């Protein structure tokens, strides 16, 4: 039983999931802590199973895994000044348009969303969202069903288009003005590691280059097909982005799969990442009818220039 968490820990520490099929089992790294705890509990609590060597190995595993995971459960958000402008964003992978469009519109209305990114939404899915009333709530948009991501906004968009980076398909991008500041939005949908781990890693590397050039006033939101334990995701965050869930100490927020059976969602593939010019205020994951992904809704504050962290 310890072999599984030991192998995943080795991959996590070495980053050998980058560009390899090891990226697929890496999504289970948080779950492997349960195995380590189980072995530790059995060897410590059941006399017939006691083994100092196994117990010591299990203890080392538990300590190492917790050392890597605990920081994401500890809030490290910055102090948001009173009256700071806020931006309410949401993202949802609509599962090829299978989502109930009325549930999307209801989420946008109830959460008072300013910007919505949708992924895996074909033209028919966008038409269904429009018929359900989404355009009445978010009248500005950059729609690219042919490229797998689109953006809807309550605020006017500028510079709307697609990225010119080396991803499997272009990512939709635009700017909005919040509190007098231009904030760049990138709706993300990467390739998936199960299909081609090299292509997925290339997508993440291209996003990392984009993040380095974007500056502090940027938001990347969407389906990254990556967890916080993947090496390419850690590289993306190191380029100047913050994961809103981890920032607020909400480190366990699985978003996939839902609606596929009795099991709850197991892994978090959907994220809202932001630059240092913004700070997370809240984040949660609504479940929408029809899609196999939970949505992510985040409220971000635009920090004064003197309050940015670089």
């Amino acid at each position: 039983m310890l072999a599984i968490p030991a192998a995943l820990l080795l991959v996590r520490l070495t980053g050998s999931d980058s560009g390899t099929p090891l990226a697929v089992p890496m999504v289970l790294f948080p779950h492997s802590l349960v195995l380590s705890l189980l072995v530790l509990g059995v060897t410590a609590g059941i006399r017939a199973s006691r083994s100092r060597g196994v117990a010591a190995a299990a203890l080392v595993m538990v300590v190492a895994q917790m050392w890597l995971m605990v920081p994401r459960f500890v809030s490290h958000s910055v102090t948001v000044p009173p009256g700071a402008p806020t931006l309410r964003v949401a993202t949802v992978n609509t599962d090829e348009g299978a989502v109930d469009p009325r549930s999307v519109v209801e989420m946008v209305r109830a959460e008072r969303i300013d910007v919505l990114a949708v992924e895996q939404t074909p033209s028919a899915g966008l038409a269904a969202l429009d018929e359900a009333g989404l355009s009445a709530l978010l009248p500005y948009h950059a729609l690219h069903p042919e490229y797998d991501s689109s953006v809807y906004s309550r605020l006017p968009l500028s510079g709307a288009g697609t990225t010119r980076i080396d991803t499997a398909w272009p990512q939709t991008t635009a700017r909005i003005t919040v509190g007098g500041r231009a904030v760049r939005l990138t709706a993300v949908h990467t390739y998936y590691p199960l299909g081609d781990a090299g292509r997925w890693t290339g997508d993440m590397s291209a996003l990392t280059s984009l993040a380095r050039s974007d500056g502090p006033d940027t938001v990347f939101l969407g389906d990254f097909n990556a967890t916080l334990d993947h090496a390419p995701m850690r590289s993306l965050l190191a380029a100047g982005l913050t994961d809103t869930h981890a920032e607020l100490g909400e480190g366990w927020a699985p978003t996939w799969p839902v609606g596929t059976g009795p099991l709850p969602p197991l892994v978090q593939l959907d994220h809202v990442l932001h630059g240092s010019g913004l700070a997370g205020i809240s984040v949660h994951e609504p479940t929408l009818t029809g899609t196999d992904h939970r949505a992510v809704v985040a409220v971000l504050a635009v920090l004064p220039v003197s309050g940015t962290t670089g």
Side-chain angles (χ1 to χ4, degrees):
M1 290 179 67
L2 278 182
I4 296 173
L8 291 176
L9 178 62
L10 180 62
V11 173
R12 175 67 170 77
L13 292 173
T14 61
S16 51
D17 58 294
S18 182
T20 74
L22 293 172
V24 177
M26 199 61 216
V27 301
L28 298 177
F29 181 73
H31 304 271
S32 69
L33 174 59
V34 177
L35 285 178
S36 300
L37 287 169
L38 181 60
V39 172
L40 181 60
V42 168
T43 53
I46 300 177
R47 182 181 297 273
S49 302
R50 286 178 183 170
S51 165
R52 290 184 178 179
V54 174
L59 180 60
V60 169
M61 290 294 306
V62 168
V63 171
Q65 289 167 302
M66 292 187 68
W67 175 67
L68 292 170
M69 287 190 287
V70 163
R72 70 188 68 166
F73 295 96
V74 179
S75 175
H76 56 278
S77 58
V78 301
T79 301
V80 175
T86 58
L87 178 64
R88 307 179 71 91
V89 303
T91 176
V92 60
N93 182 318
T94 71
D95 192 15
E96 299 292 347
V99 68
D100 180 354
R102 294 168 298 182
S103 67
V104 176
V105 171
E106 179 54 34
M107 176 189 72
V108 169
R109 180 181 293 112
E111 302 283 355
R112 308 191 309 281
I113 298 300
D114 297 312
V115 173
L116 171 69
V118 295
E119 301 84 49
Q120 278 195 287
T121 311
S123 297
L126 295 178
L129 290 172
D130 188 53
E131 290 176 8
L134 184 60
S135 292
L137 298 173
L138 304 175
Y140 304 98
H141 38 71
L143 307 181
H144 290 282
E146 73 279 17
Y147 293 144
D148 254 14
S149 65
S150 295
V151 171
Y152 291 85
S153 176
R154 184 181 61 82
L155 306 168
L157 299 175
S158 63
T162 56
T163 57
R164 298 180 180 180
I165 56 177
D166 184 21
T167 47
W169 43 76
Q171 315 288 306
T172 299
T173 184
R175 285 183 173 84
I176 58 173
T177 299
V178 184
R181 296 252 292 282
V183 177
R184 175 166 172 166
L185 309 161
T186 301
V188 173
H189 186 220
T190 66
Y191 208 80
Y192 51 101
L194 184 60
D196 185 336
R199 176 68 273 182
W200 165 75
T201 301
D203 282 6
M204 295 294 288
S205 296
L207 290 173
T208 299
S209 297
L210 182 63
R212 289 197 184 103
S213 65
D214 259 5
D217 298 338
T218 188
V219 178
F220 286 58
L221 70 170
D223 175 7
F224 293 75
N225 279 307
T227 73
L228 297 180
D229 295 301
H230 281 119
M233 174 60 91
R234 299 198 302 276
S235 295
L236 177 58
L237 294 174
L241 297 179
T242 297
D243 179 86
T244 306
H245 282 95
E247 173 188 21
L248 297 173
E250 306 274 348
W252 179 243
T255 60
W256 180 87
V258 293
T260 58
L263 291 176
L266 297 174
V267 296
Q268 184 181 6
L269 304 179
D270 307 88
H271 305 263
V272 172
L273 313 180
H274 62 80
S276 59
L278 300 97
I281 296 176
S282 67
V283 65
H284 67 283
E285 310 77 43
T287 299
L288 304 182
T289 306
T291 178
D292 59 349
H293 285 250
R294 281 179 171 167
V296 177
V297 173
V299 180
L300 307 174
V302 178
L303 300 173
V305 174
S306 59
T308 60
T309 57

